[in-house]
Amino acid sequence: MRYLNQLEPDALIARFAEHPPIDFRVLEAAGTPAFVAPFDLLTTADAEVRDKVVHAPGYRWWGRLLRWRTAFVGTTVSEYALFPRGAEPAPLATALRDQLGRGQRLLIVKDIPQASPLFDAATGEWCKRFAEACDAAGFLLLEGQALAYVPIDFASEDDYLARLSSGRRKDIRRKLRKRDEVAVESVRCGDASFADDAVVDAYYALYENVYAQSEIHFDKLSRGFFAAVLRDAGNGGVVFVYRHQGDMIGWNLCFAVDGKLIDKYVGFAYPQAREQNLYFTSWFHNLAWAREHGLTHYVAGWTDPQIKAYLGAQFTLTRHAIYLRNPLLRMLARRLGKFFESDSQWAAHEQA
């Protein structure tokens, strides 16, 4: 049975359990996927706060004190926290606190939807009740990340671009001129080419390029994870492969599930991907693919909200429910919580 809040195929959740990110330990609590991993407390802090702390005197010596072994409810391959269908919010919140929150200094129930347009009203109401139950059970509720999405309610690329400002339209069209130099191929997961270890190595190398240049390093997925996903013909995944002068300069793994195109992973070759404006090309390729296949939404993920807003995305917020085992730290966290909430600007974003 699919979990509540699940957008991704079942197979992707299963591969996460079989091949967890490096240094992660996957487990289950109260019928809910969870994991334990090292966590830097500055990971979700406001950028200005993080910069000040990192550059404080002696950080290289005492900074390790900010890295805790932490329990998380959820996965890093699902957009939202996943909960067992039929569970009652209050008993579940208490069970998660008791089973996980008392075994680690910190417990985070990550990515609880807030009235997400990607679910029905009943699911939204359940998540609201669960967040309230977490609050009653001693958790601190913090604003989570902004998930980018695009409703596929436009008739053409020109129709979509017409909703943006004239300045953005001009800039985007200029960048899209490069796409004529790039060949795009759609390769289904399970394709025979992925049986070749050298092919998987090439894809993983481009994923590592993207991971290395990311500002936040948390969940590095293993080569084994990608090999299992790419070789699974039953997960419904499609890889859009971008080639320039015959060389692969990028790839993008997506899943079409329940009428939505879920954008999950990318790999880029640098500097070629930047020189070819591949981010822009892949964004509009995905929108076109979703429209041509009759889908209702393109779900673009959590990262890089600035560029996604520029490209016309809308945003929906989540909450994180945080439980600190130490009661004094719980009190302190309530005073400092505002410094870890920085994505609300994107939820209020209006196209201009």
Side-chain angles (χ1 to χ4, degrees):
M1 181 182 295
R2 289 173 62 80
Y3 292 102
L4 195 72
N5 299 334
Q6 184 177 333
L7 296 177
E8 299 75 15
D10 295 341
L12 193 64
I13 310 302
R15 299 297 85 74
F16 174 81
E18 294 168 2
H19 302 277
I22 296 168
D23 293 331
F24 281 39
R25 177 169 62 89
V26 172
L27 46 90
E28 186 178 86
T32 303
F35 61 91
V36 175
F39 179 64
D40 189 321
L41 301 181
L42 296 176
T43 298
T44 58
D46 179 271
E48 183 178 352
V49 172
R50 184 167 59 245
D51 187 66
K52 287 181 178 179
V53 174
V54 168
H55 291 93
Y59 174 79
R60 60 180 296 185
W61 291 284
W62 57 262
R64 66 174 65 92
L65 298 176
L66 298 178
R67 290 183 279 276
W68 294 3
R69 196 75 179 168
T70 300
F72 292 84
V73 173
T75 79
T76 63
V77 301
S78 55
E79 304 296 352
Y80 291 117
L82 305 177
F83 302 117
R85 291 185 181 274
E88 284 297 319
L92 180 61
T94 301
L96 293 173
R97 181 198 64 193
D98 293 346
Q99 294 181 31
L100 297 174
R102 293 175 180 170
Q104 305 289 335
R105 285 193 289 176
L106 178 64
L107 164 64
I108 302 177
V109 184
K110 59 190 294 292
D111 305 320
I112 305 167
Q114 289 195 60
S116 173
L118 304 175
F119 298 116
D120 58 28
T123 299
E125 177 60 25
W126 191 98
C127 290
K128 179 175 179 291
R129 290 169 53 212
F130 177 76
E132 292 169 350
C134 286
D135 184 51
F139 288 77
L140 170 66
L141 294 179
L142 293 181
E143 174 191 291
Q145 294 174 284
L147 176 62
Y149 69 97
V150 179
I152 308 300
D153 58 357
F154 47 90
S156 66
E157 184 175 291
D158 286 341
D159 183 27
Y160 179 81
L161 287 170
R163 303 174 182 184
L164 308 180
S165 67
S166 60
R168 274 195 282 172
R169 286 199 302 271
K170 182 178 179 180
D171 180 57
I172 290 170
R173 285 192 169 114
R174 178 178 59 81
K175 287 183 168 65
L176 288 177
R177 291 173 191 161
K178 283 283 190 176
R179 65 181 167 182
D180 293 337
E181 302 174 8
V182 176
V184 187
E185 177 187 10
S186 297
V187 183
R188 291 283 178 177
C189 287
D191 187 85
S193 63
F194 294 128
D196 186 342
D197 283 339
V199 171
V200 175
D201 289 342
Y203 277 72
Y204 190 64
L206 297 196
Y207 162 77
E208 288 190 302
N209 287 347
V210 175
Y211 183 86
Q213 62 87 48
S214 174
E215 291 184 1
I216 297 176
H217 292 158
F218 175 53
D219 59 328
K220 184 176 183 181
L221 294 162
S222 68
R223 181 196 178 280
F225 171 84
F226 281 106
V229 171
L230 293 172
R231 290 169 176 170
D232 183 358
N235 64 25
V238 57
V239 186
F240 303 121
V241 184
Y242 296 87
R243 300 185 186 278
H244 177 60
Q245 297 179 347
D247 296 327
M248 182 171 68
I249 64 169
W251 59 266
N252 183 194
L253 174 58
C254 298
F255 296 88
V257 183
D258 294 335
K260 303 174 185 68
L261 183 64
I262 316 298
D263 191 337
K264 295 308 299 185
Y265 305 111
V266 297
F268 289 141
Y270 300 118
Q272 300 95 317
R274 292 193 181 100
E275 292 170 348
Q276 297 304 129
N277 297 323
L278 199 55
Y279 195 103
F280 286 75
T281 293
S282 63
W283 181 271
F284 282 91
H285 177 273
N286 289 349
L287 291 181
W289 196 93
R291 180 172 53 82
E292 290 164 4
H293 286 78
L295 305 183
T296 61
H297 293 81
Y298 168 49
V299 182
W302 306 104
T303 59
D304 303 319
Q306 295 91 338
I307 185 61
K308 289 172 181 174
Y310 186 80
L311 288 166
Q314 298 179 35
F315 296 88
T316 178
L317 279 177
T318 63
R319 289 172 174 167
H320 301 320
I322 313 296
Y323 183 79
L324 286 146
R325 187 173 57 192
N326 186 307
L328 294 178
L329 291 178
R330 285 205 297 272
M331 292 176 59
L332 180 62
R334 292 188 183 279
R335 298 177 66 88
L336 298 179
K338 64 181 180 180
F339 296 112
F340 294 82
E341 300 180 328
S342 59
D343 271 8
S344 59
Q345 58 177 311
W346 303 114
H349 170 75
E350 293 181 359
Q351 298 179 19

